[in-house]
Amino acid sequence: MSAALPTTTPAPPAPSTRTAAVAIAALALGGFAIGTTEFVTMGLLPDIADGVDASIPSAGHLVSAYALGVVVGAPVIAALSARLPRRPLAMALMAAFVVGNVLSALAPGFGTLVLARFVAGLPHGAYFGVASLIAASLVPDGLRGRAVSSVMLGLAVANVAGVPAATWLGQHLGWRSAYWAVVVAGAVTVLAVLTAVPSTPGRSEATIRSELAALRRPQVVLTLLVATVGFGGMFAMYSYIAPTVTEEAGRPAGFVPVVLFAYGVGGVLGMALGGRLADRALFRSLVGATVAVGLLLALMTVAAGNAVSLTATVFAIAAAASTMVVLLQLRLMEVAGDAQLLGAALNHSALNAANALGAWLGGLVIAAGWGYRAPSAVGVGLAVLGLGFLLVSAVLRRRELAAA
């Protein structure tokens, strides 16, 4: 009596290069929409505050509400949805994102707007997680890093084009128009994913317990700590870039957009570079990017006194930090085992936690009277701590290989 063969879902045929490129572009459009809504609130904060009868400090809670939505939504949605086919999941997440931004545009008051921003943030991490997995599945193994970085490139392009355009729109047609523009971009993404992305199965054997079991893996925890702490150094500097430009470099407020544009261009470069480095040597590249961020933040403590050197250093920091984002994404997908969706989604939870940590620590040293260069010095310390977690990760990996 012969043993029955195991029943498995046959792998779909590999898509053509053109099909993969169009599908990845459709997924990157979602990243563009997400990046635009994430950062446009900061540019329109005074307008939004006036529109909902809130103070500017209170309106700042809108940024925190979105970040909290990302932190909460990424692991929960990823754990619950790992079994689902990935194309419909990506569409559903983007549709939920559209709903959150519709609610933001229609919010009658401050309280409802805070809730709407929280809702808009919920699908953020899970979308990037599933989009990264789809993109990686469409290309040969040696190109997976570039495929994932191409999806995340939409996030970087948003800082260069989407955020300035939506900010201008919000300033001239009312702040709600910025969210309506994001709604249009999100709706177009749903249609683009439907028509351009091939069908990709989920992990039928996945359970909530098996997905969350990834959080018991030391390498996953260590990588999340690198993302939260090591990347928090960049946010310590960037959160206070406007007063650094005016107070340290002595330039008028009108020069701040120039510096922000340099940051955006550096981010685009870093995203593209990160994918190529990941395909060559993922872990070593992550160590190098973390070291680069720390060294550049140290340089920032000196460069901040001159507008040209400040702008050039911000560009370089953005490039190194964005490279680090892509490498962290792929590292989490690698070490999460079968729970790749959870790993990829958790990267965005960790990065939003890094945003909060960096801004908080930077604010502490400024409040202590140490000046606007001090957050960059704090960032150096955080980068060194992140490097320490990478060292522990390397030691554990060496022990695992020796024991195998």
mmCIF file of all heavy atoms in Angstrom, residues 246-278:
data_model
loop_
_atom_site.group_PDB
_atom_site.id
_atom_site.type_symbol
_atom_site.label_atom_id
_atom_site.label_comp_id
_atom_site.label_asym_id
_atom_site.label_seq_id
_atom_site.Cartn_x
_atom_site.Cartn_y
_atom_site.Cartn_z
ATOM 1 N N THR A 246 16.784 77.446 11.918
ATOM 2 C CA THR A 246 16.649 78.876 12.239
ATOM 3 C C THR A 246 17.564 79.314 13.376
ATOM 4 O O THR A 246 18.129 80.416 13.339
ATOM 5 C CB THR A 246 15.189 79.204 12.596
ATOM 6 O OG1 THR A 246 14.751 78.361 13.673
ATOM 7 C CG2 THR A 246 14.275 78.973 11.395
ATOM 8 N N GLU A 247 17.739 78.471 14.378
ATOM 9 C CA GLU A 247 18.496 78.870 15.563
ATOM 10 C C GLU A 247 19.991 78.560 15.455
ATOM 11 O O GLU A 247 20.823 79.333 15.926
ATOM 12 C CB GLU A 247 17.927 78.174 16.810
ATOM 13 C CG GLU A 247 16.475 78.500 17.098
ATOM 14 C CD GLU A 247 16.259 79.989 17.374
ATOM 15 O OE1 GLU A 247 17.144 80.619 17.988
ATOM 16 O OE2 GLU A 247 15.210 80.514 16.954
ATOM 17 N N GLU A 248 20.340 77.433 14.861
ATOM 18 C CA GLU A 248 21.743 77.038 14.786
ATOM 19 C C GLU A 248 22.411 77.529 13.500
ATOM 20 O O GLU A 248 23.512 78.067 13.533
ATOM 21 C CB GLU A 248 21.883 75.515 14.899
ATOM 22 C CG GLU A 248 21.397 74.938 16.216
ATOM 23 C CD GLU A 248 22.276 75.345 17.394
ATOM 24 O OE1 GLU A 248 23.427 75.778 17.163
ATOM 25 O OE2 GLU A 248 21.811 75.238 18.544
ATOM 26 N N ALA A 249 21.737 77.326 12.356
ATOM 27 C CA ALA A 249 22.308 77.773 11.076
ATOM 28 C C ALA A 249 22.018 79.234 10.793
ATOM 29 O O ALA A 249 22.612 79.823 9.891
ATOM 30 C CB ALA A 249 21.782 76.900 9.942
ATOM 31 N N GLY A 250 21.089 79.816 11.546
ATOM 32 C CA GLY A 250 20.783 81.230 11.383
ATOM 33 C C GLY A 250 20.073 81.575 10.091
ATOM 34 O O GLY A 250 20.173 82.699 9.588
ATOM 35 N N ARG A 251 19.320 80.647 9.546
ATOM 36 C CA ARG A 251 18.594 80.897 8.297
ATOM 37 C C ARG A 251 17.128 81.179 8.599
ATOM 38 O O ARG A 251 16.591 80.749 9.627
ATOM 39 C CB ARG A 251 18.699 79.679 7.379
ATOM 40 C CG ARG A 251 20.125 79.299 7.012
ATOM 41 C CD ARG A 251 20.789 80.397 6.215
ATOM 42 N NE ARG A 251 20.147 80.565 4.924
ATOM 43 C CZ ARG A 251 20.422 81.554 4.074
ATOM 44 N NH1 ARG A 251 21.308 82.477 4.410
ATOM 45 N NH2 ARG A 251 19.804 81.632 2.908
ATOM 46 N N PRO A 252 16.440 81.912 7.712
ATOM 47 C CA PRO A 252 15.017 82.178 7.936
ATOM 48 C C PRO A 252 14.178 80.925 7.781
ATOM 49 O O PRO A 252 14.631 79.916 7.209
ATOM 50 C CB PRO A 252 14.681 83.202 6.834
ATOM 51 C CG PRO A 252 15.694 82.976 5.774
ATOM 52 C CD PRO A 252 16.955 82.556 6.492
ATOM 53 N N ALA A 253 12.949 80.998 8.266
ATOM 54 C CA ALA A 253 12.064 79.833 8.206
ATOM 55 C C ALA A 253 11.830 79.371 6.771
ATOM 56 O O ALA A 253 11.571 78.193 6.527
ATOM 57 C CB ALA A 253 10.727 80.160 8.872
ATOM 58 N N GLY A 254 11.938 80.311 5.819
ATOM 59 C CA GLY A 254 11.740 79.953 4.421
ATOM 60 C C GLY A 254 12.776 78.986 3.889
ATOM 61 O O GLY A 254 12.583 78.382 2.823
ATOM 62 N N PHE A 255 13.880 78.800 4.613
ATOM 63 C CA PHE A 255 14.918 77.863 4.172
ATOM 64 C C PHE A 255 14.611 76.431 4.612
ATOM 65 O O PHE A 255 15.195 75.492 4.077
ATOM 66 C CB PHE A 255 16.283 78.287 4.739
ATOM 67 C CG PHE A 255 17.450 77.568 4.127
ATOM 68 C CD1 PHE A 255 17.870 77.862 2.845
ATOM 69 C CD2 PHE A 255 18.123 76.574 4.834
ATOM 70 C CE1 PHE A 255 18.942 77.187 2.276
ATOM 71 C CE2 PHE A 255 19.200 75.898 4.279
ATOM 72 C CZ PHE A 255 19.610 76.211 2.988
ATOM 73 N N VAL A 256 13.693 76.274 5.549
ATOM 74 C CA VAL A 256 13.361 74.938 6.064
ATOM 75 C C VAL A 256 12.884 73.999 4.944
ATOM 76 O O VAL A 256 13.325 72.841 4.876
ATOM 77 C CB VAL A 256 12.330 75.023 7.199
ATOM 78 C CG1 VAL A 256 11.860 73.632 7.619
ATOM 79 C CG2 VAL A 256 12.925 75.758 8.394
ATOM 80 N N PRO A 257 11.991 74.449 4.028
ATOM 81 C CA PRO A 257 11.581 73.535 2.951
ATOM 82 C C PRO A 257 12.739 73.046 2.091
ATOM 83 O O PRO A 257 12.692 71.938 1.558
ATOM 84 C CB PRO A 257 10.602 74.378 2.127
ATOM 85 C CG PRO A 257 10.059 75.374 3.094
ATOM 86 C CD PRO A 257 11.210 75.701 4.000
ATOM 87 N N VAL A 258 13.779 73.853 1.940
ATOM 88 C CA VAL A 258 14.953 73.421 1.173
ATOM 89 C C VAL A 258 15.605 72.218 1.860
ATOM 90 O O VAL A 258 15.969 71.226 1.215
ATOM 91 C CB VAL A 258 15.964 74.575 1.021
ATOM 92 C CG1 VAL A 258 17.232 74.093 0.317
ATOM 93 C CG2 VAL A 258 15.339 75.740 0.276
ATOM 94 N N VAL A 259 15.734 72.323 3.175
ATOM 95 C CA VAL A 259 16.334 71.232 3.939
ATOM 96 C C VAL A 259 15.435 69.988 3.895
ATOM 97 O O VAL A 259 15.920 68.862 3.741
ATOM 98 C CB VAL A 259 16.591 71.661 5.390
ATOM 99 C CG1 VAL A 259 17.155 70.516 6.217
ATOM 100 C CG2 VAL A 259 17.540 72.854 5.431
ATOM 101 N N LEU A 260 14.132 70.192 3.979
ATOM 102 C CA LEU A 260 13.202 69.066 3.929
ATOM 103 C C LEU A 260 13.233 68.391 2.559
ATOM 104 O O LEU A 260 13.113 67.162 2.453
ATOM 105 C CB LEU A 260 11.785 69.532 4.259
ATOM 106 C CG LEU A 260 11.574 70.100 5.668
ATOM 107 C CD1 LEU A 260 10.113 70.483 5.864
ATOM 108 C CD2 LEU A 260 11.997 69.096 6.731
ATOM 109 N N PHE A 261 13.396 69.195 1.517
ATOM 110 C CA PHE A 261 13.506 68.620 0.169
ATOM 111 C C PHE A 261 14.771 67.771 0.054
ATOM 112 O O PHE A 261 14.754 66.681 -0.522
ATOM 113 C CB PHE A 261 13.515 69.733 -0.876
ATOM 114 C CG PHE A 261 13.638 69.235 -2.292
ATOM 115 C CD1 PHE A 261 12.548 68.669 -2.930
ATOM 116 C CD2 PHE A 261 14.846 69.313 -2.969
ATOM 117 C CE1 PHE A 261 12.652 68.183 -4.234
ATOM 118 C CE2 PHE A 261 14.964 68.842 -4.266
ATOM 119 C CZ PHE A 261 13.863 68.278 -4.902
ATOM 120 N N ALA A 262 15.868 68.275 0.613
ATOM 121 C CA ALA A 262 17.113 67.505 0.605
ATOM 122 C C ALA A 262 16.924 66.186 1.351
ATOM 123 O O ALA A 262 17.428 65.135 0.921
ATOM 124 C CB ALA A 262 18.243 68.320 1.244
ATOM 125 N N TYR A 263 16.196 66.232 2.461
ATOM 126 C CA TYR A 263 15.899 65.010 3.209
ATOM 127 C C TYR A 263 15.102 64.027 2.340
ATOM 128 O O TYR A 263 15.389 62.826 2.312
ATOM 129 C CB TYR A 263 15.115 65.342 4.476
ATOM 130 C CG TYR A 263 14.754 64.139 5.309
ATOM 131 C CD1 TYR A 263 15.606 63.673 6.299
ATOM 132 C CD2 TYR A 263 13.563 63.451 5.087
ATOM 133 C CE1 TYR A 263 15.287 62.550 7.052
ATOM 134 C CE2 TYR A 263 13.231 62.329 5.824
ATOM 135 C CZ TYR A 263 14.101 61.885 6.814
ATOM 136 O OH TYR A 263 13.771 60.768 7.538
ATOM 137 N N GLY A 264 14.104 64.541 1.635
ATOM 138 C CA GLY A 264 13.281 63.679 0.792
ATOM 139 C C GLY A 264 14.073 63.027 -0.323
ATOM 140 O O GLY A 264 13.918 61.828 -0.602
ATOM 141 N N VAL A 265 14.935 63.805 -0.982
ATOM 142 C CA VAL A 265 15.748 63.245 -2.064
ATOM 143 C C VAL A 265 16.717 62.202 -1.518
ATOM 144 O O VAL A 265 16.918 61.135 -2.116
ATOM 145 C CB VAL A 265 16.510 64.367 -2.803
ATOM 146 C CG1 VAL A 265 17.459 63.779 -3.844
ATOM 147 C CG2 VAL A 265 15.532 65.327 -3.465
ATOM 148 N N GLY A 266 17.314 62.487 -0.375
ATOM 149 C CA GLY A 266 18.185 61.500 0.256
ATOM 150 C C GLY A 266 17.439 60.221 0.590
ATOM 151 O O GLY A 266 17.988 59.115 0.454
ATOM 152 N N GLY A 267 16.173 60.361 1.007
ATOM 153 C CA GLY A 267 15.369 59.182 1.315
ATOM 154 C C GLY A 267 15.112 58.318 0.093
ATOM 155 O O GLY A 267 15.152 57.081 0.171
ATOM 156 N N VAL A 268 14.846 58.950 -1.046
ATOM 157 C CA VAL A 268 14.637 58.195 -2.286
ATOM 158 C C VAL A 268 15.902 57.421 -2.651
ATOM 159 O O VAL A 268 15.852 56.233 -2.997
ATOM 160 C CB VAL A 268 14.235 59.142 -3.437
ATOM 161 C CG1 VAL A 268 14.209 58.395 -4.765
ATOM 162 C CG2 VAL A 268 12.864 59.755 -3.158
ATOM 163 N N LEU A 269 17.038 58.094 -2.570
ATOM 164 C CA LEU A 269 18.311 57.435 -2.869
ATOM 165 C C LEU A 269 18.559 56.258 -1.927
ATOM 166 O O LEU A 269 18.960 55.168 -2.351
ATOM 167 C CB LEU A 269 19.449 58.445 -2.762
ATOM 168 C CG LEU A 269 20.871 57.877 -2.915
ATOM 169 C CD1 LEU A 269 21.065 57.324 -4.323
ATOM 170 C CD2 LEU A 269 21.911 58.953 -2.609
ATOM 171 N N GLY A 270 18.305 56.476 -0.630
ATOM 172 C CA GLY A 270 18.551 55.433 0.358
ATOM 173 C C GLY A 270 17.666 54.219 0.167
ATOM 174 O O GLY A 270 18.120 53.073 0.324
ATOM 175 N N MET A 271 16.392 54.448 -0.173
ATOM 176 C CA MET A 271 15.488 53.322 -0.410
ATOM 177 C C MET A 271 15.981 52.459 -1.570
ATOM 178 O O MET A 271 15.984 51.227 -1.498
ATOM 179 C CB MET A 271 14.077 53.837 -0.718
ATOM 180 C CG MET A 271 13.345 54.418 0.469
ATOM 181 S SD MET A 271 12.811 53.151 1.636
ATOM 182 C CE MET A 271 11.916 54.153 2.830
ATOM 183 N N ALA A 272 16.394 53.117 -2.652
ATOM 184 C CA ALA A 272 16.889 52.371 -3.816
ATOM 185 C C ALA A 272 18.177 51.635 -3.476
ATOM 186 O O ALA A 272 18.370 50.477 -3.869
ATOM 187 C CB ALA A 272 17.105 53.329 -4.982
ATOM 188 N N LEU A 273 19.069 52.283 -2.749
ATOM 189 C CA LEU A 273 20.338 51.671 -2.380
ATOM 190 C C LEU A 273 20.144 50.498 -1.425
ATOM 191 O O LEU A 273 20.834 49.471 -1.523
ATOM 192 C CB LEU A 273 21.246 52.724 -1.735
ATOM 193 C CG LEU A 273 22.622 52.267 -1.257
ATOM 194 C CD1 LEU A 273 23.450 51.754 -2.436
ATOM 195 C CD2 LEU A 273 23.337 53.407 -0.545
ATOM 196 N N GLY A 274 19.191 50.630 -0.505
ATOM 197 C CA GLY A 274 18.966 49.587 0.493
ATOM 198 C C GLY A 274 18.629 48.246 -0.128
ATOM 199 O O GLY A 274 19.108 47.196 0.322
ATOM 200 N N GLY A 275 17.821 48.244 -1.182
ATOM 201 C CA GLY A 275 17.463 46.987 -1.828
ATOM 202 C C GLY A 275 18.655 46.297 -2.460
ATOM 203 O O GLY A 275 18.814 45.076 -2.367
ATOM 204 N N ARG A 276 19.516 47.076 -3.092
ATOM 205 C CA ARG A 276 20.700 46.501 -3.732
ATOM 206 C C ARG A 276 21.663 45.932 -2.690
ATOM 207 O O ARG A 276 22.242 44.854 -2.872
ATOM 208 C CB ARG A 276 21.394 47.566 -4.578
ATOM 209 C CG ARG A 276 20.548 48.020 -5.774
ATOM 210 C CD ARG A 276 21.245 49.045 -6.632
ATOM 211 N NE ARG A 276 20.422 49.406 -7.770
ATOM 212 C CZ ARG A 276 20.389 48.741 -8.919
ATOM 213 N NH1 ARG A 276 21.157 47.656 -9.066
ATOM 214 N NH2 ARG A 276 19.608 49.118 -9.903
ATOM 215 N N LEU A 277 21.849 46.664 -1.602
ATOM 216 C CA LEU A 277 22.739 46.178 -0.549
ATOM 217 C C LEU A 277 22.190 44.914 0.099
ATOM 218 O O LEU A 277 22.947 43.995 0.438
ATOM 219 C CB LEU A 277 22.948 47.272 0.504
ATOM 220 C CG LEU A 277 23.758 48.493 0.051
ATOM 221 C CD1 LEU A 277 23.770 49.553 1.144
ATOM 222 C CD2 LEU A 277 25.182 48.097 -0.315
ATOM 223 N N ALA A 278 20.875 44.875 0.276
ATOM 224 C CA ALA A 278 20.260 43.690 0.888
ATOM 225 C C ALA A 278 20.484 42.450 0.040
ATOM 226 O O ALA A 278 20.707 41.349 0.565
ATOM 227 C CB ALA A 278 18.768 43.932 1.098
#
